[in-house]
Amino acid sequence: MLILGIDPGFAIVGFGLVEADRGRQRLVQCGAITTPAGEPLPARLRQIADDMDLLLAQFQPQAMAVEELFFNNNITTGIGVAQARGVLLLAAERRGVPIFEYTPSQVKQAVVGYGKAEKRQVMDMTRRLLNLSAVPKPDDAADAVAIALCHARSFTSRLQSPDAARPGSGRYEVRKQVR
Amino acid sequence: MLILGIDPGFAIVGFGLVEADRGRQRLVQCGAITTPAGEPLPARLRQIADDMDLLLAQFQPQAMAVEELFFNNNITTGIGVAQARGVLLLAAERRGVPIFEYTPSQVKQAVVGYGKAEKRQVMDMTRRLLNLSAVPKPDDAADAVAIALCHARSFTSRLQSPDAARPGSGRYEVRKQVR
């Protein structure tokens, strides 16, 4: 199964494509979509949407994994990120790609085995699990790879768990805050 | 000039179409796009995007006016609204409709003539300026009509002002918070 991990952003969207096969994971591709700061907002959203569309068309992932959005740092930056995230989710939805959402601590738990792991530990485990010589660059791409890896590892365990027969049990769930 | 006013939302998106011609404004249509609370987030975003597309195709407005987003009340609700707003802006951008953004006080100033007017005053002036027998329903539609009216009245004055010759002077400007 090919998983597209996404680290949503407005100036930069990280992406990571991870192939998951019988408990093993392999990095297929990673990188970032960037938009120029000087451009008007709608043009930047369109560029994100178009580039995301190209990614989905080229790689045809079977799932998209994306981090849940929190506005703990900068609320005004968060508005831009959330607008971009809407556009990213729409692109996947229009292509029928199932979307899965994880909290930062779920990513840490799945990748490091400890929900309060530090970012550095997540990066290091991501590199080791995928047998890479270095942590992917930029940081946004590395984060996206970790999210894809989280889905690969969570999904695999779920498939092996007793409730695996329930189809779509890992599908995106509407959270209270977005109703 | 036909102006589409939008009150962005996630459960409900208000819209109002106002025709502006030589200092006079006429209400063409208003209403709301709604999405069911039980649906997954991506499906709701898609419905908003598709309905917005239909609106744009049917009425072919020459401008879209949308309120600036603030997260003063509920940040978590705001994430959903911002995601929907991204999708709405993308739809207009993809059809080449110029997007204009106004703050709540700009809307009040343009409609009532006083930037700190109360909502009730804005609704009443909207009704009177458009020669309607009642304030449009639901509230989201009325808000969207007021935003369209704001653009009609701001744009008209701008066209009559000395810097009117500068094309696109009223175009959407990227704000600091969304860079």
Side-chain angles (χ1 to χ4, degrees):
Chain A
M1 180 175 62
L2 186 60
I3 301 158
L4 173 60
I6 290 287
D7 180 27
F10 185 58
I12 181 161
V13 179
F15 69 88
L17 284 144
V18 170
E19 178 68 43
D21 185 24
R22 279 164 294 185
R24 289 173 163 273
Q25 296 96 32
R26 182 175 63 84
L27 180 64
V28 174
Q29 179 81 266
C30 71
I33 299 168
T34 58
T35 65
E39 285 280 300
L41 165 66
R44 294 173 76 178
L45 289 175
R46 184 186 184 156
Q47 195 184 319
I48 290 168
D50 289 351
D51 286 2
M52 180 70 181
D53 243 12
L54 282 178
L55 261 182
L56 293 168
Q58 187 181 346
F59 292 98
Q60 310 209 352
Q62 277 97 53
M64 176 166 130
V66 60
E67 206 161 280
E68 204 177 297
L69 211 54
F70 291 104
F71 282 180
N72 35 14
N73 299 322
N74 188 334
I75 288 174
T76 46
T77 302
I79 294 178
V81 176
Q83 291 184 133
R85 193 178 190 267
V87 156
L88 291 161
L89 296 179
L90 176 67
E93 174 72 11
R94 281 199 159 147
R95 287 189 176 267
V97 180
I99 301 163
F100 301 80
E101 183 179 60
Y102 297 96
T103 62
S105 73
Q106 283 175 317
V107 175
K108 290 170 179 176
Q109 180 66 44
V111 175
V112 182
Y114 173 54
K116 292 181 177 174
E118 292 186 18
K119 190 182 169 75
R120 192 185 44 76
Q121 293 174 291
V122 177
M123 295 296 96
D124 192 53
M125 274 306 285
T126 298
R127 184 187 66 72
R128 285 165 63 184
L129 287 166
L130 293 170
N131 203 19
L132 307 173
S133 57
V135 173
K137 289 275 166 198
D139 277 4
D140 312 79
D143 287 343
V145 172
I147 296 160
L149 204 50
C150 164
H151 180 66
R153 294 169 68 85
S154 315
F155 204 71
T156 307
S157 8
R158 202 172 300 139
L159 284 179
Q160 291 162 352
S161 76
D163 65 338
R166 189 156 58 89
S169 63
R171 268 301 293 262
Y172 194 101
E173 301 252 310
V174 181
R175 310 280 162 151
K176 268 208 184 95
Q177 80 255 31
V178 288
R179 287 218 172 169
Chain B
M1 180 175 64
L2 186 61
I3 301 158
L4 174 61
I6 290 286
D7 180 28
F10 186 58
I12 180 160
V13 179
F15 69 87
L17 284 143
V18 170
E19 177 69 43
D21 185 23
R22 280 163 292 183
R24 287 171 164 275
Q25 295 96 33
R26 183 175 62 85
L27 180 64
V28 173
Q29 180 82 264
C30 72
I33 299 168
T34 58
T35 65
E39 285 280 300
L41 166 66
R44 295 174 76 180
L45 289 175
R46 183 184 184 159
Q47 195 183 320
I48 290 169
D50 289 351
D51 286 1
M52 181 69 180
D53 243 12
L54 283 178
L55 260 183
L56 293 168
Q58 187 180 347
F59 291 100
Q60 311 211 348
Q62 277 97 53
M64 177 166 130
V66 61
E67 207 161 281
E68 205 176 294
L69 211 55
F70 292 104
F71 282 0
N72 35 14
N73 300 321
N74 188 334
I75 289 175
T76 46
T77 302
I79 294 178
V81 176
Q83 290 183 134
R85 193 177 191 267
V87 156
L88 292 161
L89 297 180
L90 176 67
E93 174 72 10
R94 281 198 160 149
R95 287 189 177 267
V97 180
I99 301 163
F100 301 79
E101 183 180 60
Y102 296 95
T103 63
S105 72
Q106 283 176 317
V107 175
K108 290 170 179 175
Q109 179 68 42
V111 175
V112 182
Y114 173 55
K116 291 180 176 173
E118 290 186 19
K119 190 182 169 76
R120 191 185 45 74
Q121 293 174 291
V122 177
M123 295 296 97
D124 192 52
M125 274 305 286
T126 297
R127 183 187 66 70
R128 286 164 64 184
L129 287 167
L130 293 170
N131 203 20
L132 307 172
S133 58
V135 172
K137 288 276 166 201
D139 277 4
D140 312 78
D143 286 344
V145 172
I147 296 160
L149 204 50
C150 163
H151 179 65
R153 294 169 67 85
S154 315
F155 203 72
T156 306
S157 7
R158 204 173 298 139
L159 285 179
Q160 290 160 354
S161 76
D163 66 338
R166 190 156 57 90
S169 62
R171 269 300 296 261
Y172 195 101
E173 302 251 310
V174 182
R175 310 278 163 154
K176 269 211 184 90
Q177 79 255 30
V178 287
R179 286 214 173 173

